[in-house]
Amino acid sequence: MRKIYHLAVEATLDIIRGKWKLRILCHLGNGPLRTGELRRLMPGISQKMLTQSLKDLENAHIVNRRSYNEVPPRVEYSLTERGMSLRNILLEMSDWGTALVKEQQEEGDDVKILNTNDDGFRNMGNEDK
Amino acid sequence: MRKIYHLAVEATLDIIRGKWKLRILCHLGNGPLRTGELRRLMPGISQKMLTQSLKDLENAHIVNRRSYNEVPPRVEYSLTERGMSLRNILLEMSDWGTALVKEQQEEGDDVKILNTNDDGFRNMGNEDK
DNA sequence: CAGCATCCCGAACGATACTG
DNA sequence: CAGTATCGTTCGGGATGCTG
């Protein structure tokens, strides 16, 4: 099945499409994580969406999936080189978004960003509320 | 109604969310356009989606709506300063997306970008197929 | 523990008809 | 010509149960 984009930007957006992929990438930016760890870092995500999102990212060679043949099963995910390069773009989008929200707040809009770390996308770290 | 983002990047993505906003911004990058002109540049878009997308962009202060009191009605849309600054981000995303698709094609993926201008997002110009 | 399959709901999108 | 209103469809996403 052929994928057709009207603009190159759409190819980039296609990678991070959906509700959870960004946050997954954000967490993986701090280093490899197991499935269960990702799950705990993102309360609210369903098993289905986690698996599905990770599979999409793996197919796009953004994350690496490493499966250890152990009992119980153990699977680790990490960023690929391509994933790391995407991170740079996301950092710029993060900066722009931060500035935008600040302006919107000054304009009186009722908007908020939960993760207000200084380094934005670089290090999410803290928990979701 | 409060808007809550987990990451600042999501605020940026929220601006260009949807099927048509990117392409609208792309066309407006070449200069102001009337409603009907935008419509003709994007065959396939419905009256509803065009109006709705433009309204969203206007509310976010990304595009400017100028209405002339004439008969027949005449309305022109253009990029705001904020819209212009967004454009810079989109250009980087475009470059990254272009490189990505190129790699994907080399990997054998069946993927294509319709608008293959050298300047990517900078000047869409040609028609949609 | 990690992943798959199924069902269900709501938001986004599309088609059409109508108004100033 | 530009915009509104309404209706129907599609698709992303949530909940749950089952398998290796």
Side-chain angles (χ1 to χ4, degrees):
Chain A
M1 195 191 85
R2 156 163 279 191
K3 266 192 181 177
I4 296 187
Y5 302 112
H6 286 270
L7 302 169
V9 203
E10 293 172 356
T12 303
L13 289 174
D14 198 27
I15 296 288
I16 56 178
R17 156 179 300 168
K19 188 173 179 178
W20 300 99
K21 299 217 184 86
L22 271 177
R23 290 167 67 187
I24 291 175
L25 292 179
C26 187
H27 285 300
L28 288 182
N30 298 327
L33 288 172
R34 296 185 54 172
T35 313
E37 291 174 321
L38 278 170
R39 218 178 175 309
R40 248 175 296 114
L41 286 168
M42 295 180 292
I45 193 173
S46 67
Q47 181 61 249
K48 173 194 172 185
M49 289 315 294
L50 180 56
T51 309
Q52 190 180 100
S53 303
L54 285 169
K55 193 179 296 182
D56 286 349
L57 291 171
E58 191 197 354
N59 289 337
H61 304 286
I62 299 295
V63 307
N64 215 322
R65 182 197 138 105
R66 179 155 186 193
S67 172
Y68 301 82
N69 278 8
E70 301 176 1
V71 182
R74 171 192 172 89
V75 179
E76 266 191 5
Y77 293 91
S78 56
L79 288 189
T80 62
E81 277 305 309
R82 186 180 290 178
M84 299 291 277
S85 78
L86 173 59
R87 197 169 176 75
N88 295 326
I89 302 283
L90 296 178
L91 283 169
E92 304 201 39
M93 294 173 63
S94 183
D95 291 342
W96 194 87
T98 302
L100 172 72
V101 168
K102 193 173 181 180
E103 290 178 19
Q104 287 175 334
Q105 287 170 342
E106 290 165 359
E107 289 163 6
D109 292 8
D110 193 5
V111 56
K112 192 181 177 187
I113 300 176
L114 287 187
N115 172 32
T116 48
N117 288 354
D118 289 333
D119 47 7
F121 198 83
R122 217 174 304 262
N123 184 357
M124 190 161 174
N126 54 10
E127 293 314 297
D128 305 326
K129 300 290 162 42
Chain B
M1 193 193 85
R2 157 162 280 193
K3 264 191 183 178
I4 296 188
Y5 302 112
H6 285 270
L7 301 170
V9 202
E10 293 172 356
T12 303
L13 289 174
D14 199 28
I15 296 289
I16 56 178
R17 157 177 301 168
K19 189 174 179 178
W20 300 100
K21 299 216 182 88
L22 271 178
R23 289 167 69 186
I24 291 176
L25 292 179
C26 185
H27 285 300
L28 288 183
N30 298 328
L33 288 172
R34 297 184 54 173
T35 312
E37 292 174 320
L38 277 170
R39 218 178 175 310
R40 248 175 296 114
L41 286 169
M42 296 180 292
I45 193 172
S46 67
Q47 181 61 249
K48 173 194 171 185
M49 289 314 295
L50 179 57
T51 309
Q52 191 179 99
S53 303
L54 285 169
K55 194 178 294 182
D56 286 348
L57 292 171
E58 191 196 355
N59 289 337
H61 304 286
I62 299 296
V63 308
N64 216 322
R65 183 197 136 106
R66 180 156 187 192
S67 172
Y68 301 82
N69 278 9
E70 300 176 2
V71 182
R74 171 192 172 89
V75 179
E76 266 191 5
Y77 292 92
S78 57
L79 289 188
T80 62
E81 277 305 309
R82 185 180 290 177
M84 298 291 277
S85 78
L86 174 59
R87 195 169 176 75
N88 295 326
I89 303 284
L90 296 177
L91 283 169
E92 304 202 40
M93 294 172 64
S94 183
D95 291 341
W96 194 87
T98 301
L100 171 73
V101 168
K102 193 173 181 180
E103 290 177 18
Q104 287 175 335
Q105 287 169 343
E106 289 166 0
E107 289 164 7
D109 292 9
D110 193 6
V111 56
K112 192 180 177 188
I113 301 177
L114 288 187
N115 172 34
T116 49
N117 287 356
D118 288 332
D119 47 8
F121 197 84
R122 220 175 301 262
N123 184 357
M124 190 159 173
N126 55 9
E127 292 315 298
D128 304 327
K129 299 289 160 46

